[in-house]
Amino acid sequence: MAEETAGPAAAAPRSEPRHGLRLLVLWVLASAICCPLVYIVAGPHLPPGDMSTSASNQQFDFTVLATIATPVVLGVLIYFGYALTYWRAQEGDETDGPPIQGDTRIQLTWIAVTSAIVFALAIFGTIELWTVQGAGAGEGPQPIWTPNSSNVLVVQVIGQQWVWTYRYPQFGAFETTQLELPVGQPVQFDVTSLDVIHSFWAYQLGVKADANPGVNNIAYTTPTQLGPFVVRCSELCGLWHGAMYDYGKVVTVAAFQAWAHQTQTQLAALTATLPPYSLTYDPTEIATLGPVLVKLGLTGAGGGYYNPADPEQP
Ligand SMILES: [Cu+2]
């Protein structure tokens, strides 16, 4: 169309550069540079870090996904930049572009590539979910993955409006608002709730498990680094949902043993008033506990049960 108005200079048709080849070379080069950068440089900084085995596994998954996504993003950006540079309409050119009638080669390539990516990711995701600690998430009462160790520390996580408490059944089942874990030992979180649906989220540990009343939801991890980690509720659970925020701590095995035995002794009187350790608790029973604790002078001693019927509690 443009040829009709072109002057004699265009008598020999202007040879169009091979845009497809140029785009392909640009894309392959950019991908070859950026994919290793994303995997090697950005990967170790992706959340949730590498403070536990489950966190490391999630970081690996995110790194793989980010590396696969890199050529896709580069493809879009490079095509976008190339089109803006070379296929820009000339000033005053009001004509339509040539109609696109379909291209079997591009269509087949598109279907093959996207199918391959989707199927590969489905297989990768299934393997990662199944084999790697249930990906650090709650696996329900019957986990399909269990740690290969006889030395598993069980910590019961109890969500309640609006605080997390923890029971340690291997240490007399004392209950506390402090979450301490030993480094290098597999931990089994038994997550439940006394009232509404909460979600236990130990961010740097890469553990996130729903806390549902009447359900024991099991999640595993093994802390691999010392230090504090953030615990949040990640399920909107009422007015003070945002206040269900605290820190846990990974300590040495010796420090954990000392803390656990000391706390067990300190809280012995309180533990005696608690409902017997169980995988779930009946909320209607819990409501009667507040007055007992007040009578014993034990509120705020680490039990932390909130009793709406008790005027002494906020
Ligand atoms: Cu909550």
Side-chain angles (χ1 to χ4, degrees):
M1 275 180 268
E3 302 298 319
E4 290 169 24
T5 54
R14 239 182 326 135
S15 64
E16 275 281 307
R18 298 183 65 182
H19 294 297
L21 184 67
R22 276 189 185 183
L23 279 166
L24 185 70
V25 170
L26 278 174
W27 177 69
V28 169
L29 271 179
S31 300
I33 294 167
C34 293
C35 284
L37 282 180
V38 168
Y39 192 87
I40 297 163
V41 180
H45 300 284
L46 289 181
D50 56 355
M51 195 174 175
S52 74
T53 49
S54 44
S56 299
N57 290 324
Q58 286 166 33
Q59 191 181 59
F60 171 73
D61 293 349
F62 288 140
T63 305
V64 169
L65 292 180
T67 307
I68 293 173
T70 301
V72 178
V73 172
L74 285 173
V76 172
L77 291 180
I78 288 171
Y79 189 85
F80 190 56
Y82 194 89
L84 278 180
T85 309
Y86 291 100
W87 298 321
R88 187 190 287 269
Q90 297 299 313
E91 189 82 36
D93 179 5
E94 300 286 326
T95 57
D96 285 341
I100 297 172
Q101 303 287 3
D103 184 315
T104 315
R105 220 170 36 157
I106 290 180
Q107 285 166 342
L108 281 179
T109 310
W110 181 264
I111 291 169
V113 171
T114 50
S115 302
I117 292 176
V118 168
F119 281 121
L121 286 179
I123 294 167
F124 175 74
T126 306
I127 292 171
E128 289 291 282
L129 260 184
W130 209 309
T131 61
V132 189
Q133 322 214 354
E139 298 180 65
Q142 279 123 19
I144 52 170
W145 184 94
T146 50
N148 194 11
S149 164
S150 55
N151 187 27
V152 178
L153 174 73
V154 178
V155 179
Q156 183 172 50
V157 179
I158 307 173
Q160 55 219 277
Q161 289 172 316
W162 287 274
V163 72
W164 295 107
T165 58
Y166 309 95
R167 289 189 83 165
Y168 288 76
Q170 289 147 338
F171 296 88
F174 69 79
E175 181 169 15
T176 170
T177 52
Q178 283 169 289
L179 177 55
E180 291 214 10
L181 302 172
V183 73
Q185 188 181 342
V187 178
Q188 172 181 333
F189 291 109
D190 282 357
V191 185
T192 189
S193 164
L194 298 184
D195 37 47
V196 299
I197 296 171
H198 302 270
S199 176
F200 172 68
W201 184 22
Y203 173 73
Q204 286 87 351
L205 296 186
V207 173
K208 194 189 235 180
D210 288 345
N212 299 340
V215 177
N216 175 43
N217 193 13
I218 298 174
Y220 296 104
T221 194
T222 304
T224 51
Q225 288 171 25
L226 299 172
F229 56 89
V230 170
V231 174
R232 283 179 179 280
C233 180
S234 112
E235 187 79 53
L236 183 59
C237 60
L239 189 59
W240 297 109
H241 159 71
M244 277 182 80
Y245 175 93
D246 210 342
Y247 291 93
K249 207 159 56 165
V250 177
V251 297
T252 62
V253 174
F256 172 78
Q257 289 291 333
W259 170 81
H261 285 119
Q262 192 193 353
T263 311
Q264 181 178 358
T265 313
Q266 272 176 355
L267 295 181
L270 174 68
T271 307
T273 68
L274 294 177
Y277 182 81
S278 148
L279 295 179
T280 61
Y281 298 95
D282 180 354
T284 56
E285 245 171 69
I286 305 298
T288 64
L289 194 63
V292 179
L293 297 184
V294 172
K295 226 178 276 173
L296 290 168
L298 283 171
T299 45
Y305 282 123
Y306 174 74
N307 177 13
D310 180 4
E312 297 282 309
Q313 295 190 26

